Amino acid sequence: MLKLVLLVSLGAANAYVWPSPQLDALEALRWDQDRNGITGLVQPCDFFIFGPANSGRSNAADWIRTAYHDMATHNSTDGTGGMDASIRFTEEQARPEDIGDGFSNSVAVLQAVSTRYISIADTLAVGLILAVENCGGPEIAFRGGRVDAVEPNIPGVPEPQQDLDSHIASFSRQGFTQTEMIGLVACGHTMGGVQHDPFPDIVPELNDPNSTESVVHFDSTHVNFDNNIAIEYIAGTTKNPLVVGFNDTTNSDKRIFGSDGNATMQSFANSPDLFASTCADLLGRMVDTVPAGVQLTDVITPLPVKPAKLQLLFVGDTNTIQFSGEVRLWDLAEGANPIDSVVTVSGGRHTATWYIFDHIATPALAALDAAAGITSIHYTVDNKLEDQDGVGFAVADDVMFSTSSCFTSDTGSEATGIFHIAVRAGVDPTRVYLEQPTRDSVGRPTTSEIGLTPPTQPDSNATYVIWSIQMPLVFTAFTVGAEIDGVKVTRGVLTSMIEFDQCPT
Ligand code: HEM
């Protein structure tokens, strides 16, 4: 058993029992903002990856609008449409109701972090949550498990030239009351604005060096998620082009905000806290609006102690296992003395502290007895045992890469990889394969499998037997997969042959 002794103390109980491949991945995307690959795109909040700093646009605003347009096709009566990433289809993006390049921009960067455990729709939901949270807005509860559509949804996104009754009917179809409609529009329109290019009848060409894409913003703090959208509207100082636009037909925010005699907007103007809590609730419900039959997970809160990137490698020469990985401690108590870097995450409200353990820092991990194996780990944190209430943090030692894997470059420019996967004697998988992330015909993340061959004459005394494959070396990353008793399992971290040595000649 491994012990990691740290003089720190911790708070909340675990949200789920680790490991769970899908929940681990969703939790990391939502909470590991220093390493999820997308949070940096909404820090700072005026960052716009597709244009210069003075374009007037921001990724954050695009991500919030994209999530809304993906959801807005929902029909709460027949259960069709909703957050299902149908907005990624060019047919949807070509509709007048989805005008502008904000959708293709957002989908391009967000879908890149989708995996077989994280749908594209989940990345769109997380995109909104990170944008709001990192730009001064509230934390929004996140559930995962959205399912990506295989075709466009039927149209249904409201447009500014439509009348109030159409908007009330449209939001009702989406599952929101008239008061909730006012709230949702105010929560969305605290960020960003209207561009000239897609809406020349609403916004003129500005010729403004600070807004090169001619964007008139909804409020004066358009990169802050705050209640200025309501304060400026109530004070009569707003420049919101959907309130004071020169063409009253397209002043949809004016009609919507005023539809209850300004009662809701007045309450938002009076109370930033009410605005924040209402937005957390409404935007949370918005991203949880999914087609009928889709089952979302429970709300995913950060695990107080979370192992990550665990990697076991079989060393045949010495019949040992090399073990490495990381553990993340969440929100260490004040006064704790972490021995590794502390990262501020999640809108600056939380800290994650990462500890790396490997055979270099801890030589004992270089050569665990393969015959004894390893079943689970636990940590001792501030003299308190962290073992998930006695369950431990399970580590599977049934199937793993073998360090005898190697690559050869002796056939000219074509290098060949020889992959060796060690399978614990007695496990008897029906299949062993390398797994590679890929996409299906409609862009959904999936996994391709490259089967390995079992040993022809396994050594009956061996602790592990070696399955193998020889193939042209492509420097893409693999995990190890196996089918054991009819169940598919995945082992190890995404790794590539580049980490292995050249074959002995
Ligand atoms: C009747 C309902 C709505 C109408 C008619 C409407 C209309 C518009 C229009 C015309 C734009 C300008 C887009 C551009 O220039 O590219 C816009 C931007 C935006 N909308 Fe809405 N909207 C509505 C509801 C919502 C809701 C419910 C949300 C989110 C909860 C939202 C979030 C946004 C955001 C964040 C932007 C700024 C995009 C950017 O600056 O790139 N909208 N909206």
Side-chain angles (χ1 to χ4, degrees), residues 61-62 65 68 158-160 184 188-189 192-195 199 218 252 256:
D62 272 354
R65 182 167 178 247
Y68 177 60
E159 296 181 65
L184 259 188
H189 289 177
V194 181
Q195 299 165 63
F199 293 97
F218 294 124
S252 52
I256 288 171

Side-chain angles (χ1 to χ4, degrees), residues 7-210:
L7 295 176
V8 291
S9 49
L10 295 168
N14 284 18
Y16 65 90
V17 176
W18 185 97
S20 158
Q22 187 196 18
L23 293 176
D24 294 342
L26 290 165
E27 196 256 21
L29 181 70
R30 167 64 182 92
W31 295 105
D32 291 343
Q33 301 194 15
D34 57 317
R35 43 174 74 189
N36 67 10
I38 50 172
T39 303
L41 301 177
V42 288
Q43 289 174 341
C45 285
D46 62 356
F47 183 40
F48 185 54
I49 194 174
F50 298 96
N54 56 353
S55 67
R57 298 184 62 187
S58 68
N59 299 326
D62 272 354
W63 293 4
I64 294 169
R65 182 167 178 247
T66 299
Y68 177 60
H69 281 233
D70 193 39
M71 185 287 290
T73 58
H74 183 65
N75 184 325
S76 55
T77 308
D78 65 15
T80 55
M83 287 290 293
D84 58 5
S86 63
I87 192 73
R88 75 187 188 280
F89 291 112
T90 47
E91 296 97 307
E92 260 190 46
Q93 290 173 12
R95 294 173 183 162
E97 65 185 36
D98 294 320
I99 194 161
D101 60 10
F103 309 111
S104 56
N105 287 352
S106 303
V107 169
V109 292
L110 291 172
Q111 65 89 36
V113 296
S114 64
T115 68
R116 64 177 138 163
Y117 303 124
I118 301 171
S119 65
I120 301 170
D122 282 341
T123 72
L124 301 186
V126 170
L128 174 139
I129 289 170
L130 297 179
V132 170
E133 180 173 295
N134 280 283
C135 301
E139 278 188 10
I140 298 169
F142 172 62
R143 301 166 197 273
R146 287 164 198 77
V147 176
D148 293 334
V150 295
E151 58 185 9
N153 286 330
I154 52 171
V157 184
E159 296 181 65
Q161 75 282 5
Q162 294 162 336
D163 63 16
L164 180 62
D165 285 345
S166 316
H167 286 148
I168 293 172
S170 174
F171 276 83
S172 169
R173 170 183 45 75
Q174 295 159 33
F176 297 93
T177 65
Q178 184 178 341
T179 305
E180 290 166 348
M181 168 183 74
I182 300 169
L184 259 188
V185 175
C187 297
H189 289 177
T190 182
M191 304 282 293
V194 181
Q195 299 165 63
H196 165 73
D197 214 19
F199 293 97
D201 296 337
I202 300 181
V203 167
E205 197 127 31
L206 297 180
N207 297 315
D208 177 355
N210 293 318

Side-chain angles (χ1 to χ4, degrees), residues 463-479:
T463 320
Y464 283 85
V465 295
I466 303 293
W467 291 52
S468 58
I469 186 174
Q470 184 165 339
M471 59 183 196
L473 191 53
V474 193
F475 285 103
T476 45
F478 297 94
T479 43

